[in-house]
Amino acid sequence: MAVFNLTPSDPLTFILTGIPGLEAAHAWISIPFSTFYIIGLLGNFMVLFVVGKEQTLHKPMYLLLCMLALTDIGTSTSVVPKVLCIFWFNLKDITVGGCLTQTFFLHGVSMMHSAVLVTMAFDRYIAICNPLRYATILTNIRIAKLGLVGLMRAVFFILPLPMLLSRLPFCVNRVIPHTYCDHMAVVKISCGDITVNNMYGLVMAFLVIGLDLTLIALSYSLIMRAVLRISSKKVNQKALNTCTAHICVILMSYSPLLFSTLTHRFGQSIAPHIHIILANLYFLLPPMFNPIIYAVKTKELHEKVGKYTCRIWLPGGH
C-alpha cells in the first residue's frame, strides 16, 4: 500500500506547476502550444483519412505511416490538453490515479512510437536492399503483427513504472515542477527510497532506446552500403530520397527524447524551464512535422492529400 501523507481535505492529489519561473508567461506560451497541437492533430488525422479512403495506399509503407500518425496523436494528446488546462485555467491539480495513468500512457505510446520507427527503418532496408522480395517479406498482415509486437513490448516495459510509483510514499511535498507526470519528475518528489525507480527508468531508457537506435543505425548502414554499390547516379539519388523523410523523423523524435531522459538524471546545471520546454517539444514538434514531411517527400501520398485538400477548400473540385 502506498503512503500518501497529504492534506486531509485533498489527500490524493498532486500539483503540476507548469513551467517554473515562467508562470506569468503561461498565457503567451499556450499560443504556440495550442497551435502546434491543432496542426499536429489535423495533419495526422488527414494521413489516416487519406490512407483509409485510398485503396492504392493500402500498402505496408502507408500502414506504417498510419501507425506513426496514431502514436503521434497519442503522445501529444496524453500531455497537451492537461498542459493547456494549467496555462489557461490554472487547473494544476491532478489525482494520483490520473498522474499514474498519464505516466503509463505517455511513456507507453512513446515506446510504441520508437518501435514504429524501427519497423520503418526495416521497411526501407528491404525496399532498397532486397526490392524483388519486398512484396513477399513485408505484407500488410506481417506489418500488423510487428505493430502488435511493438504494442506488447511497450505494455510489458512501461506497466511497472506506475506500479513502482504507487509504492512510493509522498509526504509533505506534492508539487511536481513540470507540466505533466513524467516518471522521473514524480520520483523526485517522493520522501522514500527511489533507488529502484531510478535504476529501472535508466536501464529501460538505455535498453529500449539504445536497442532501437542500434537497429535503425544498422539498417541505414546496410542501406548506405547497398546504395554506394549502385553505379547509376539517378537510381542512387532515388534510393536516398526514399530514406530522407524517415531520417528527418528519426532525428526530430529521438533528439528531444534523449535530451529529456539524460537531463532528468545528469543535467542539474540546466535551468528547469529550459528542460521542461524542450521536454514538451517532444510532444509537439514530431506530431506536427511528421505528416508534413511525409506528405511532401512521398509523391503518392502528396498527390492524394492534395486531391482531398482541394475537395475540402474547393467543393466540387477535382
PDB file of all heavy atoms in Angstrom, residues 14-41:
ATOM      1  N   PHE A  14      -1.810  15.559  -6.656  1.00  0.00           N
ATOM      2  CA  PHE A  14      -0.536  16.219  -6.903  1.00  0.00           C
ATOM      3  C   PHE A  14      -0.834  17.576  -7.535  1.00  0.00           C
ATOM      4  O   PHE A  14      -1.943  17.822  -8.023  1.00  0.00           O
ATOM      5  CB  PHE A  14       0.333  15.398  -7.869  1.00  0.00           C
ATOM      6  CG  PHE A  14       0.891  14.139  -7.283  1.00  0.00           C
ATOM      7  CD1 PHE A  14       0.790  12.933  -7.978  1.00  0.00           C
ATOM      8  CD2 PHE A  14       1.529  14.133  -6.052  1.00  0.00           C
ATOM      9  CE1 PHE A  14       1.322  11.767  -7.460  1.00  0.00           C
ATOM     10  CE2 PHE A  14       2.055  12.974  -5.521  1.00  0.00           C
ATOM     11  CZ  PHE A  14       1.947  11.780  -6.229  1.00  0.00           C
ATOM     12  N   ILE A  15       0.163  18.434  -7.525  1.00  0.00           N
ATOM     13  CA  ILE A  15       0.027  19.746  -8.165  1.00  0.00           C
ATOM     14  C   ILE A  15       1.118  19.892  -9.221  1.00  0.00           C
ATOM     15  O   ILE A  15       2.310  19.786  -8.924  1.00  0.00           O
ATOM     16  CB  ILE A  15       0.136  20.893  -7.136  1.00  0.00           C
ATOM     17  CG1 ILE A  15      -1.010  20.806  -6.136  1.00  0.00           C
ATOM     18  CG2 ILE A  15       0.139  22.251  -7.844  1.00  0.00           C
ATOM     19  CD1 ILE A  15      -0.873  21.747  -4.959  1.00  0.00           C
ATOM     20  N   LEU A  16       0.707  20.112 -10.467  1.00  0.00           N
ATOM     21  CA  LEU A  16       1.638  20.363 -11.566  1.00  0.00           C
ATOM     22  C   LEU A  16       1.819  21.873 -11.698  1.00  0.00           C
ATOM     23  O   LEU A  16       0.837  22.609 -11.854  1.00  0.00           O
ATOM     24  CB  LEU A  16       1.081  19.778 -12.876  1.00  0.00           C
ATOM     25  CG  LEU A  16       0.993  18.255 -12.943  1.00  0.00           C
ATOM     26  CD1 LEU A  16       0.077  17.817 -14.084  1.00  0.00           C
ATOM     27  CD2 LEU A  16       2.382  17.646 -13.125  1.00  0.00           C
ATOM     28  N   THR A  17       3.044  22.333 -11.624  1.00  0.00           N
ATOM     29  CA  THR A  17       3.278  23.781 -11.608  1.00  0.00           C
ATOM     30  C   THR A  17       3.245  24.423 -12.985  1.00  0.00           C
ATOM     31  O   THR A  17       3.119  25.632 -13.112  1.00  0.00           O
ATOM     32  CB  THR A  17       4.662  24.094 -10.988  1.00  0.00           C
ATOM     33  OG1 THR A  17       5.681  23.500 -11.804  1.00  0.00           O
ATOM     34  CG2 THR A  17       4.758  23.582  -9.566  1.00  0.00           C
ATOM     35  N   GLY A  18       3.376  23.617 -14.044  1.00  0.00           N
ATOM     36  CA  GLY A  18       3.545  24.203 -15.377  1.00  0.00           C
ATOM     37  C   GLY A  18       5.029  24.372 -15.641  1.00  0.00           C
ATOM     38  O   GLY A  18       5.811  23.454 -15.426  1.00  0.00           O
ATOM     39  N   ILE A  19       5.422  25.558 -16.084  1.00  0.00           N
ATOM     40  CA  ILE A  19       6.839  25.832 -16.351  1.00  0.00           C
ATOM     41  C   ILE A  19       7.368  26.747 -15.250  1.00  0.00           C
ATOM     42  O   ILE A  19       7.056  27.941 -15.226  1.00  0.00           O
ATOM     43  CB  ILE A  19       7.029  26.482 -17.739  1.00  0.00           C
ATOM     44  CG1 ILE A  19       6.429  25.583 -18.820  1.00  0.00           C
ATOM     45  CG2 ILE A  19       8.515  26.716 -18.013  1.00  0.00           C
ATOM     46  CD1 ILE A  19       6.470  26.163 -20.211  1.00  0.00           C
ATOM     47  N   PRO A  20       8.149  26.205 -14.305  1.00  0.00           N
ATOM     48  CA  PRO A  20       8.644  27.005 -13.173  1.00  0.00           C
ATOM     49  C   PRO A  20       9.421  28.231 -13.640  1.00  0.00           C
ATOM     50  O   PRO A  20      10.284  28.145 -14.516  1.00  0.00           O
ATOM     51  CB  PRO A  20       9.572  26.023 -12.436  1.00  0.00           C
ATOM     52  CG  PRO A  20       9.119  24.663 -12.853  1.00  0.00           C
ATOM     53  CD  PRO A  20       8.634  24.824 -14.257  1.00  0.00           C
ATOM     54  N   GLY A  21       9.101  29.375 -13.054  1.00  0.00           N
ATOM     55  CA  GLY A  21       9.784  30.622 -13.398  1.00  0.00           C
ATOM     56  C   GLY A  21       9.138  31.388 -14.535  1.00  0.00           C
ATOM     57  O   GLY A  21       9.423  32.567 -14.738  1.00  0.00           O
ATOM     58  N   LEU A  22       8.254  30.716 -15.269  1.00  0.00           N
ATOM     59  CA  LEU A  22       7.589  31.384 -16.402  1.00  0.00           C
ATOM     60  C   LEU A  22       6.069  31.394 -16.231  1.00  0.00           C
ATOM     61  O   LEU A  22       5.328  31.467 -17.210  1.00  0.00           O
ATOM     62  CB  LEU A  22       7.960  30.688 -17.720  1.00  0.00           C
ATOM     63  CG  LEU A  22       9.438  30.723 -18.129  1.00  0.00           C
ATOM     64  CD1 LEU A  22       9.638  29.967 -19.433  1.00  0.00           C
ATOM     65  CD2 LEU A  22       9.917  32.173 -18.297  1.00  0.00           C
ATOM     66  N   GLU A  23       5.611  31.312 -14.990  1.00  0.00           N
ATOM     67  CA  GLU A  23       4.165  31.273 -14.730  1.00  0.00           C
ATOM     68  C   GLU A  23       3.435  32.488 -15.311  1.00  0.00           C
ATOM     69  O   GLU A  23       2.325  32.358 -15.833  1.00  0.00           O
ATOM     70  CB  GLU A  23       3.892  31.200 -13.218  1.00  0.00           C
ATOM     71  CG  GLU A  23       4.212  29.866 -12.591  1.00  0.00           C
ATOM     72  CD  GLU A  23       5.675  29.721 -12.168  1.00  0.00           C
ATOM     73  OE1 GLU A  23       6.469  30.655 -12.460  1.00  0.00           O
ATOM     74  OE2 GLU A  23       6.021  28.696 -11.550  1.00  0.00           O
ATOM     75  N   ALA A  24       4.076  33.651 -15.240  1.00  0.00           N
ATOM     76  CA  ALA A  24       3.440  34.870 -15.754  1.00  0.00           C
ATOM     77  C   ALA A  24       3.255  34.840 -17.264  1.00  0.00           C
ATOM     78  O   ALA A  24       2.395  35.535 -17.812  1.00  0.00           O
ATOM     79  CB  ALA A  24       4.274  36.093 -15.359  1.00  0.00           C
ATOM     80  N   ALA A  25       4.066  34.028 -17.928  1.00  0.00           N
ATOM     81  CA  ALA A  25       4.007  33.963 -19.401  1.00  0.00           C
ATOM     82  C   ALA A  25       3.218  32.754 -19.909  1.00  0.00           C
ATOM     83  O   ALA A  25       3.189  32.495 -21.112  1.00  0.00           O
ATOM     84  CB  ALA A  25       5.427  33.926 -19.965  1.00  0.00           C
ATOM     85  N   HIS A  26       2.561  32.027 -19.005  1.00  0.00           N
ATOM     86  CA  HIS A  26       1.832  30.824 -19.403  1.00  0.00           C
ATOM     87  C   HIS A  26       0.818  31.089 -20.517  1.00  0.00           C
ATOM     88  O   HIS A  26       0.683  30.287 -21.446  1.00  0.00           O
ATOM     89  CB  HIS A  26       1.118  30.206 -18.199  1.00  0.00           C
ATOM     90  CG  HIS A  26       2.000  29.297 -17.398  1.00  0.00           C
ATOM     91  ND1 HIS A  26       1.587  28.689 -16.224  1.00  0.00           N
ATOM     92  CD2 HIS A  26       3.283  28.886 -17.589  1.00  0.00           C
ATOM     93  CE1 HIS A  26       2.563  27.944 -15.736  1.00  0.00           C
ATOM     94  NE2 HIS A  26       3.604  28.055 -16.544  1.00  0.00           N
ATOM     95  N   ALA A  27       0.085  32.203 -20.418  1.00  0.00           N
ATOM     96  CA  ALA A  27      -0.940  32.508 -21.425  1.00  0.00           C
ATOM     97  C   ALA A  27      -0.307  32.682 -22.810  1.00  0.00           C
ATOM     98  O   ALA A  27      -0.853  32.231 -23.820  1.00  0.00           O
ATOM     99  CB  ALA A  27      -1.712  33.761 -21.029  1.00  0.00           C
ATOM    100  N   TRP A  28       0.857  33.347 -22.853  1.00  0.00           N
ATOM    101  CA  TRP A  28       1.554  33.553 -24.128  1.00  0.00           C
ATOM    102  C   TRP A  28       2.145  32.251 -24.658  1.00  0.00           C
ATOM    103  O   TRP A  28       2.090  31.965 -25.859  1.00  0.00           O
ATOM    104  CB  TRP A  28       2.650  34.606 -23.972  1.00  0.00           C
ATOM    105  CG  TRP A  28       2.120  35.984 -23.714  1.00  0.00           C
ATOM    106  CD1 TRP A  28       2.129  36.663 -22.538  1.00  0.00           C
ATOM    107  CD2 TRP A  28       1.478  36.838 -24.670  1.00  0.00           C
ATOM    108  NE1 TRP A  28       1.531  37.886 -22.680  1.00  0.00           N
ATOM    109  CE2 TRP A  28       1.129  38.033 -23.981  1.00  0.00           C
ATOM    110  CE3 TRP A  28       1.153  36.719 -26.022  1.00  0.00           C
ATOM    111  CZ2 TRP A  28       0.477  39.085 -24.614  1.00  0.00           C
ATOM    112  CZ3 TRP A  28       0.504  37.775 -26.657  1.00  0.00           C
ATOM    113  CH2 TRP A  28       0.172  38.936 -25.964  1.00  0.00           C
ATOM    114  N   ILE A  29       2.702  31.441 -23.741  1.00  0.00           N
ATOM    115  CA  ILE A  29       3.308  30.170 -24.146  1.00  0.00           C
ATOM    116  C   ILE A  29       2.239  29.223 -24.697  1.00  0.00           C
ATOM    117  O   ILE A  29       2.510  28.403 -25.577  1.00  0.00           O
ATOM    118  CB  ILE A  29       4.052  29.517 -22.959  1.00  0.00           C
ATOM    119  CG1 ILE A  29       5.223  30.411 -22.515  1.00  0.00           C
ATOM    120  CG2 ILE A  29       4.585  28.139 -23.326  1.00  0.00           C
ATOM    121  CD1 ILE A  29       5.850  29.990 -21.204  1.00  0.00           C
ATOM    122  N   SER A  30       1.006  29.372 -24.198  1.00  0.00           N
ATOM    123  CA  SER A  30      -0.078  28.494 -24.649  1.00  0.00           C
ATOM    124  C   SER A  30      -0.423  28.693 -26.121  1.00  0.00           C
ATOM    125  O   SER A  30      -0.972  27.779 -26.756  1.00  0.00           O
ATOM    126  CB  SER A  30      -1.336  28.726 -23.810  1.00  0.00           C
ATOM    127  OG  SER A  30      -1.939  29.974 -24.132  1.00  0.00           O
ATOM    128  N   ILE A  31      -0.105  29.850 -26.683  1.00  0.00           N
ATOM    129  CA  ILE A  31      -0.441  30.130 -28.091  1.00  0.00           C
ATOM    130  C   ILE A  31       0.298  29.181 -29.037  1.00  0.00           C
ATOM    131  O   ILE A  31      -0.330  28.480 -29.833  1.00  0.00           O
ATOM    132  CB  ILE A  31      -0.185  31.611 -28.444  1.00  0.00           C
ATOM    133  CG1 ILE A  31      -1.117  32.513 -27.620  1.00  0.00           C
ATOM    134  CG2 ILE A  31      -0.379  31.851 -29.946  1.00  0.00           C
ATOM    135  CD1 ILE A  31      -0.824  33.997 -27.742  1.00  0.00           C
ATOM    136  N   PRO A  32       1.666  29.109 -28.973  1.00  0.00           N
ATOM    137  CA  PRO A  32       2.339  28.130 -29.837  1.00  0.00           C
ATOM    138  C   PRO A  32       1.992  26.688 -29.463  1.00  0.00           C
ATOM    139  O   PRO A  32       1.869  25.829 -30.339  1.00  0.00           O
ATOM    140  CB  PRO A  32       3.830  28.418 -29.638  1.00  0.00           C
ATOM    141  CG  PRO A  32       3.926  29.179 -28.362  1.00  0.00           C
ATOM    142  CD  PRO A  32       2.647  29.944 -28.247  1.00  0.00           C
ATOM    143  N   PHE A  33       1.806  26.406 -28.162  1.00  0.00           N
ATOM    144  CA  PHE A  33       1.471  25.048 -27.733  1.00  0.00           C
ATOM    145  C   PHE A  33       0.170  24.579 -28.396  1.00  0.00           C
ATOM    146  O   PHE A  33       0.119  23.496 -28.989  1.00  0.00           O
ATOM    147  CB  PHE A  33       1.321  24.980 -26.203  1.00  0.00           C
ATOM    148  CG  PHE A  33       2.582  24.619 -25.474  1.00  0.00           C
ATOM    149  CD1 PHE A  33       3.725  25.396 -25.601  1.00  0.00           C
ATOM    150  CD2 PHE A  33       2.636  23.501 -24.655  1.00  0.00           C
ATOM    151  CE1 PHE A  33       4.890  25.070 -24.923  1.00  0.00           C
ATOM    152  CE2 PHE A  33       3.802  23.160 -23.980  1.00  0.00           C
ATOM    153  CZ  PHE A  33       4.929  23.950 -24.115  1.00  0.00           C
ATOM    154  N   SER A  34      -0.885  25.396 -28.275  1.00  0.00           N
ATOM    155  CA  SER A  34      -2.184  25.002 -28.834  1.00  0.00           C
ATOM    156  C   SER A  34      -2.146  24.971 -30.360  1.00  0.00           C
ATOM    157  O   SER A  34      -2.755  24.098 -30.983  1.00  0.00           O
ATOM    158  CB  SER A  34      -3.286  25.953 -28.353  1.00  0.00           C
ATOM    159  OG  SER A  34      -2.953  27.303 -28.642  1.00  0.00           O
ATOM    160  N   THR A  35      -1.405  25.905 -30.957  1.00  0.00           N
ATOM    161  CA  THR A  35      -1.289  25.947 -32.425  1.00  0.00           C
ATOM    162  C   THR A  35      -0.610  24.689 -32.951  1.00  0.00           C
ATOM    163  O   THR A  35      -1.101  24.043 -33.885  1.00  0.00           O
ATOM    164  CB  THR A  35      -0.501  27.193 -32.875  1.00  0.00           C
ATOM    165  OG1 THR A  35      -1.131  28.368 -32.364  1.00  0.00           O
ATOM    166  CG2 THR A  35      -0.436  27.282 -34.391  1.00  0.00           C
ATOM    167  N   PHE A  36       0.535  24.338 -32.348  1.00  0.00           N
ATOM    168  CA  PHE A  36       1.269  23.140 -32.774  1.00  0.00           C
ATOM    169  C   PHE A  36       0.409  21.890 -32.593  1.00  0.00           C
ATOM    170  O   PHE A  36       0.400  20.993 -33.439  1.00  0.00           O
ATOM    171  CB  PHE A  36       2.565  22.982 -31.980  1.00  0.00           C
ATOM    172  CG  PHE A  36       3.595  24.040 -32.237  1.00  0.00           C
ATOM    173  CD1 PHE A  36       4.715  24.157 -31.423  1.00  0.00           C
ATOM    174  CD2 PHE A  36       3.454  24.936 -33.285  1.00  0.00           C
ATOM    175  CE1 PHE A  36       5.681  25.131 -31.661  1.00  0.00           C
ATOM    176  CE2 PHE A  36       4.411  25.922 -33.529  1.00  0.00           C
ATOM    177  CZ  PHE A  36       5.517  26.015 -32.705  1.00  0.00           C
ATOM    178  N   TYR A  37      -0.317  21.831 -31.480  1.00  0.00           N
ATOM    179  CA  TYR A  37      -1.153  20.662 -31.176  1.00  0.00           C
ATOM    180  C   TYR A  37      -2.265  20.496 -32.207  1.00  0.00           C
ATOM    181  O   TYR A  37      -2.487  19.396 -32.726  1.00  0.00           O
ATOM    182  CB  TYR A  37      -1.744  20.812 -29.776  1.00  0.00           C
ATOM    183  CG  TYR A  37      -2.665  19.688 -29.354  1.00  0.00           C
ATOM    184  CD1 TYR A  37      -2.231  18.372 -29.350  1.00  0.00           C
ATOM    185  CD2 TYR A  37      -3.978  19.954 -28.952  1.00  0.00           C
ATOM    186  CE1 TYR A  37      -3.077  17.334 -28.948  1.00  0.00           C
ATOM    187  CE2 TYR A  37      -4.824  18.930 -28.549  1.00  0.00           C
ATOM    188  CZ  TYR A  37      -4.369  17.633 -28.558  1.00  0.00           C
ATOM    189  OH  TYR A  37      -5.208  16.610 -28.164  1.00  0.00           O
ATOM    190  N   ILE A  38      -2.943  21.586 -32.537  1.00  0.00           N
ATOM    191  CA  ILE A  38      -4.051  21.537 -33.504  1.00  0.00           C
ATOM    192  C   ILE A  38      -3.537  21.169 -34.894  1.00  0.00           C
ATOM    193  O   ILE A  38      -4.130  20.325 -35.589  1.00  0.00           O
ATOM    194  CB  ILE A  38      -4.812  22.882 -33.532  1.00  0.00           C
ATOM    195  CG1 ILE A  38      -5.561  23.081 -32.207  1.00  0.00           C
ATOM    196  CG2 ILE A  38      -5.780  22.935 -34.703  1.00  0.00           C
ATOM    197  CD1 ILE A  38      -6.080  24.483 -31.989  1.00  0.00           C
ATOM    198  N   ILE A  39      -2.416  21.775 -35.304  1.00  0.00           N
ATOM    199  CA  ILE A  39      -1.831  21.450 -36.616  1.00  0.00           C
ATOM    200  C   ILE A  39      -1.447  19.973 -36.662  1.00  0.00           C
ATOM    201  O   ILE A  39      -1.679  19.282 -37.657  1.00  0.00           O
ATOM    202  CB  ILE A  39      -0.600  22.334 -36.912  1.00  0.00           C
ATOM    203  CG1 ILE A  39      -1.027  23.804 -37.089  1.00  0.00           C
ATOM    204  CG2 ILE A  39       0.138  21.853 -38.165  1.00  0.00           C
ATOM    205  CD1 ILE A  39       0.136  24.778 -37.175  1.00  0.00           C
ATOM    206  N   GLY A  40      -0.870  19.478 -35.566  1.00  0.00           N
ATOM    207  CA  GLY A  40      -0.482  18.068 -35.488  1.00  0.00           C
ATOM    208  C   GLY A  40      -1.682  17.143 -35.604  1.00  0.00           C
ATOM    209  O   GLY A  40      -1.642  16.149 -36.330  1.00  0.00           O
ATOM    210  N   LEU A  41      -2.767  17.463 -34.885  1.00  0.00           N
ATOM    211  CA  LEU A  41      -3.977  16.646 -34.968  1.00  0.00           C
ATOM    212  C   LEU A  41      -4.551  16.638 -36.382  1.00  0.00           C
ATOM    213  O   LEU A  41      -4.894  15.578 -36.922  1.00  0.00           O
ATOM    214  CB  LEU A  41      -5.040  17.161 -33.986  1.00  0.00           C
ATOM    215  CG  LEU A  41      -4.812  16.910 -32.493  1.00  0.00           C
ATOM    216  CD1 LEU A  41      -5.988  17.463 -31.696  1.00  0.00           C
ATOM    217  CD2 LEU A  41      -4.635  15.427 -32.187  1.00  0.00           C
TER     218      LEU A  41
END
